């Protein structure tokens, strides 16, 4: 008897799951039907800022596989502009709205894959829905932003929120010649970094000619003829022709919550290591699903494409009858603003304190290449390590070209629960064009271990 | 009572040990006297090709600390142009030749640190000592090569041996506008890579305009007035104004061997995890010392500056009264030739077979950045994994900018004895300027694990 898999959401997690399930079960065994409320499937949302900035010229380059390709190559039916608005886990049906006709209909499922992604935070501010104010979540956002730039040649851009999306969009506008202002409510940009590291990002942003306001909250927007004309902070207004909301994103779990599918404390759908929800035959993966943090051992909601792909793969293998688990996340991520690279993994200081760790930190300034080699540039590396044991808890890197990807070495050490003492001897590569003879990772581990030792002496 | 430490060899291992010992024991407790037969201390031998090519302009840039600085800042006496030619472990003395006066004298020691480095392989060929033929081992070699280029403007360079030094010197000569020929006796360049990966390096070298002869052995050199004029391969001669011998290097352990200090099967001085030789109070570190390979579990001699620094640090901490161990090596290394980056870690296929592993290999071609991102370039990653368990045994990377340093992620996984199955879920960073959403390391681990699974199904 043919089973039917319904996939809710046509991006990374959902379509990876569909593909993996299809690999293991042919169309006679498993019918696959996917619903996507937008216009595109399997796209790189992380590429949107680069599409807006023009580094990526064609929208097609950001699309891994179109709905037609899914149908023709994998026998996976995709209905775009269709939104799943209800799930009945008893009747095993979903209610779907055809967004073109605004008509609802039902489809039945045996297996249900929920991959509804994340929803950008959109504060309830005056005029927040005005024209010229954009979130950056799906390809359509990128298309709309680029169209507005081409049609209206805005001169002044204001980015609200200096997180990953915010700083990447700031760079994009900057490269297009717009005057860019970024407004951040915290004391420093990048809430995924400790303030001392975030400050370095802020200094660099200002150096690149971006106006950065920190410790400032947006209270509303001024409009003219329905179009945004200024952003209001406290008592004054910052003129704006285009505004980006980069205030982060939360799990889009409403349809699951309404269906009684258990939601975790992070706001994401509760899943186990196989990506099963607590309802038999109902799976979730990607930004809508809760993740297990491997260092804090706590549930978290961290929207990242890397997790979405891996979780989707895990779900798909299991739906396909295989056995696969996804152990959890470290939250490793990287970004850049102009020539500055930024990366982090694991816990920040605040996370570590909240998770109950006593910790020490070590920060070093080193170079990406041998100090004497052309192109050697400064990089700052910070590690957070547990007291006494020296166990690595997290790290942050800021620097020029070649800095960010070193976070992967630290993430791999973290994955293996290494102490910085163990890391000291690690056999990393060296050649003058690539690193100093003591790689910045090792230099920082060495300094961290020294601090652990000193702390133990003092603590006696 | 003041002890006396004598250090034999003034580069990375010896002087790092001296510095670490000094940190822990003041001059009243430990007198430190170092002998260096060359003119320089603590220099970056790995920087020599870049000094020759002119990327590094001043010799001083390659010197971390001069003899005077050691004396003034650390109370460490250094005698350059002094060679230790004998060790008496019973009398606790060394015999030293002052190379300027050719007079010998003795000095007594309580602790002895042997850091005599490696000796370049110099085959017993006709006219191998002719003018214009150089090894590349110490800074003096680099100075001599650069002087000859400036004084004599050679037009044709021949490099014998396509290993790390060989290809880096080929690039240096190429960048200076010389006609460059590289001669390698194996079928492909880079004996630290499997032949299939070495072939890619060879293709790239030829693409860069370097003439590469493989499967060819040099039988001698033709000279004119004592200066090399051609390199002889089989029946024909390749005209040469300057020749580099890049045939690898062996532990320089003769003075230790003569003193009865035990030498291991690799030809290096036998040491334990604390860098102790089998003679009380006699230590060895760096290229002259045998290393324990963490994957093959066998003794090896691998000359690398990274190991020398770490081993020297370990020895120095122990000499200083601390406790430190050095667990062993993976042989991780990286290099580049023109725009091609090359890196490896752990075992090659031949090593794995010799160590008794049954293994599978997986090779992928991916990109350094998201495929659509400007500057994305191809990188080839190969992993060698144990059958059944999927344990990672080694890896090799070849690619353009951003490729080589990814070997450190794999080296960290190897350090932790990970299987490629465990590696699949690793939380590595992603952003379009830095990587595809599945990093090449993960793509290759996934393919390797797939092969392990298929092999198990077939093997039933």
């Amino acid at each position: 008897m043919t089973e039917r898999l319904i996939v809710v959401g046509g991006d990374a997690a959902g379509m990876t799951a569909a593909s993996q399930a299809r690999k293991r079960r042919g169309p006679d065994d498993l019918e696959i039907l996917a619903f996507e409320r937008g216009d595109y499937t399997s796209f790189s949302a992380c590429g949107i800022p680069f599409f807006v900035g023009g580094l990526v010229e064609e929208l097609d380059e950001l699309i891994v596989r179109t709905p037609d390709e899914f149908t023709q190559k994998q026998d996976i039916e995709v209905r775009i502009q269709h939104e799943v608005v209800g799930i009945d886990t008893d009747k095993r049906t979903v209610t779907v709205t055809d967004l073109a006709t605004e008509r609802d209909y039902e489809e039945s499922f045996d297996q249900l894959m929920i991959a509804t992604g994340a929803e950008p935070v959109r504060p309830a501010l005056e005029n927040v829905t005005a024209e010229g104010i954009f979130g950056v979540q799906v390809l359509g956002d990128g298309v709309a932003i680029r169209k507005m730039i081409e049609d209206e040649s805005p001169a002044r851009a204001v980015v609200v929120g200096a997180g990953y999306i915010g700083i990447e969009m700031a760079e994009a506008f900057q490269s297009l010649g717009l005057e860019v202002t970024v407004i951040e409510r915290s004391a420093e940009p990048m809430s995924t970094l400790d303030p001392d590291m975030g400050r370095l990002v802020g200094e660099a942003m200002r150096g690149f000619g971006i106006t950065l306001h920190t410790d400032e909250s947006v209270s509303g927007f001024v409009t003219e003829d329905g179009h945004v004309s200024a952003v209001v902070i406290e008592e004054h207004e910052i003129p704006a022709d285009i505004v980006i909301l980069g205030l982060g994103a939360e799990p889009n779990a409403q349809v699951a919550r309404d269906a009684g599918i258990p939601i975790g404390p992070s706001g994401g759908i509760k899943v186990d290591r196989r990506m099963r929800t607590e309802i038999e035959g109902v799976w979730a993966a990607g930004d809508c699903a809760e993740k297990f943090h491997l260092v804090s051992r706590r549930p978290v909601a961290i929207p990242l494409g890397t997790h979405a792909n891996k979780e989707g793969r895990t779900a798909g293998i299991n739906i396909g009858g295989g056995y696969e688990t996804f152990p959890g996340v470290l939250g490793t991520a990287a970004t850049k603003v102009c020539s500055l690279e930024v990366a982090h993994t694991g816990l920040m200081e605040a996370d570590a304190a909240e998770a109950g760790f006593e910790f020490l930190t070590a920060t070093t300034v080193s170079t990406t290449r041998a100090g004497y080699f052309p192109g050697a540039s400064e990089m700052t590396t910070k590690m957070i390590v547990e007291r006494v044991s020296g166990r690595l808890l997290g790290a942050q890197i800021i620097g020029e070209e070649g800095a960010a990807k070193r976070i992967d070495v630290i993430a791999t050490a973290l994955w293996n629960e290494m102490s910085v003492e163990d890391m000291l001897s690690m056999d990393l590569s060296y050649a003058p064009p690539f690193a100093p003879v003591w790689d910045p990772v090792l230099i920082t581990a060495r300094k961290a271990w020294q601090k652990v030792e000193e702390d133990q002496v003092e603590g006696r």
Side-chain angles (χ1 to χ4, degrees), chain A:
Chain A
M1 208 192 71
T2 308
E3 272 203 329
R4 185 190 234 193
L5 166 65
I6 283 186
V7 178
V8 188
D11 197 11
M15 299 317 289
T16 302
S19 295
Q20 288 291 338
R22 172 58 76 230
K23 267 195 191 171
R24 285 161 184 78
R25 298 175 65 178
D28 293 341
D29 181 34
L30 185 73
E31 184 194 340
I32 306 180
L33 172 59
F35 296 103
E36 164 57 40
R37 66 179 176 185
D39 297 321
Y40 308 97
T41 49
S42 293
F43 55 87
S44 168
C46 304
I48 295 171
F50 308 103
F51 172 71
V52 170
L55 274 177
V56 177
E57 285 189 20
E58 299 299 328
L59 190 71
D60 289 355
E61 300 181 64
L62 299 187
I63 298 169
V64 182
R65 186 156 278 197
T66 64
D68 275 359
E69 289 171 329
F70 278 111
T71 306
Q72 282 156 30
K73 296 186 183 168
Q74 296 179 273
D75 230 322
I76 295 169
E77 184 185 347
V78 183
R79 296 185 196 158
I80 57 169
Q81 297 184 329
H82 281 69
E83 181 169 8
V84 171
V85 295
I87 298 168
D88 188 323
T89 58
D90 291 328
K91 282 171 53 197
R92 311 294 280 181
T93 58
V94 293
T95 304
V96 185
T97 303
D98 178 342
L99 298 176
T101 63
E102 292 188 6
R103 286 183 52 186
D104 285 2
Y105 61 98
E106 284 192 2
E107 292 282 358
S108 66
F109 63 82
D110 301 291
Q111 304 288 332
L112 182 69
M113 172 75 224
I114 305 175
T116 41
E119 200 70 63
V121 174
R122 218 175 166 98
L125 298 173
E126 198 182 348
N127 296 322
V128 73
T129 58
E131 274 175 49
I133 302 179
F134 299 91
V136 181
Q137 186 70 16
V138 295
L139 276 201
D141 298 326
V143 173
I145 295 166
R146 193 148 132 174
K147 187 169 180 335
M148 185 190 151
I149 291 170
E150 281 162 13
D151 293 352
E152 301 180 29
S153 303
R156 296 160 302 185
V158 175
V159 177
V160 183
Y164 283 86
I165 292 284
I167 69 169
E168 289 172 2
M169 289 303 296
E171 171 180 349
F173 288 132
Q174 173 88 352
S175 72
L176 292 171
L178 279 75
E179 193 187 312
V180 183
T181 302
V182 177
I183 302 166
E184 167 61 39
R185 79 190 133 188
S186 306
E188 306 294 346
M190 300 293 298
S191 63
T192 50
L193 301 179
D194 292 327
D196 56 336
M197 296 293 275
R199 189 172 58 244
L200 299 179
V201 177
E203 285 168 9
M205 288 172 71
R206 292 185 175 112
F208 297 134
I210 294 166
T211 302
L212 174 64
H213 296 287
T214 53
D215 273 327
E216 298 273 15
S217 286
V218 171
S219 56
F221 302 92
V222 181
T223 61
E224 279 174 24
D225 301 331
H227 193 293
V228 68
S229 63
V231 178
V232 185
I233 315 183
E234 310 268 330
E235 299 302 300
H236 66 285
E237 296 179 5
I238 299 174
D241 305 313
I242 185 167
V243 172
I244 299 296
L245 298 179
L247 295 165
E250 289 169 351
N252 179 13
Q254 195 56 46
V255 72
R257 187 191 308 263
D258 291 345
I261 298 165
I263 306 295
S266 71
I269 301 166
K270 277 181 85 167
V271 289
D272 67 7
R273 290 163 59 90
R274 298 184 69 187
M275 309 315 296
R276 298 184 292 203
T277 69
E278 291 187 13
I279 309 291
E280 177 74 23
V282 178
W283 313 73
D287 293 352
C288 66
E290 186 163 272
K291 287 111 184 58
F292 177 72
H293 197 289
L294 291 167
V295 185
S296 70
R297 319 300 291 175
R298 292 184 177 188
V300 289
I302 301 176
L304 282 171
T306 46
H307 302 160
N309 273 280
K310 287 175 194 139
E311 291 174 2
R313 177 178 174 276
T314 300
I317 290 173
N318 289 315
I319 294 168
Y323 179 81
E324 184 70 323
T325 60
F326 181 72
V329 305
L330 302 172
T332 314
T335 187
K336 67 188 269 296
V337 52
C338 303
S339 64
L340 191 78
E341 301 186 354
V342 181
H344 76 101
T345 188
L347 305 183
M348 301 192 297
E349 290 194 39
D351 302 327
E354 196 184 319
F357 287 104
E358 289 197 6
F359 59 88
L360 301 162
T361 69
T363 303
T364 63
V365 178
S366 180
T367 52
T368 52
R369 308 177 180 207
Y372 57 78
F373 201 85
S377 56
E378 204 173 274
M379 72 179 265
T380 303
T381 310
K382 176 175 181 173
M383 289 184 185
I384 292 131
V385 299
E386 190 179 25
R387 278 190 65 193
V388 185
S389 74
R391 184 187 158 193
L392 182 67
L393 300 175
Q396 297 156 46
I397 291 175
I398 291 171
E400 302 278 315
E401 179 148 23
K405 258 295 185 181
R406 278 183 164 92
I407 203 71
D408 289 355
V409 180
I410 304 177
T412 304
L414 196 54
W415 189 266
N416 287 286
E417 301 188 7
M418 291 181 80
S419 78
V420 285
E421 187 192 12
D422 295 336
M423 291 175 71
L424 292 184
S425 317
M426 285 199 326
D427 197 356
L428 305 185
S429 64
Y430 156 64
F434 305 128
V437 67
W438 289 95
D439 190 273
V441 171
L442 300 180
I443 293 172
T444 314
R446 197 169 62 181
K447 182 167 180 183
W449 178 243
Q450 197 184 325
K451 289 185 86 169
V452 171
E453 286 191 312
E454 287 165 4
D455 171 68
Q456 282 179 273
V457 173
E458 287 161 17
R460 262 180 210 157

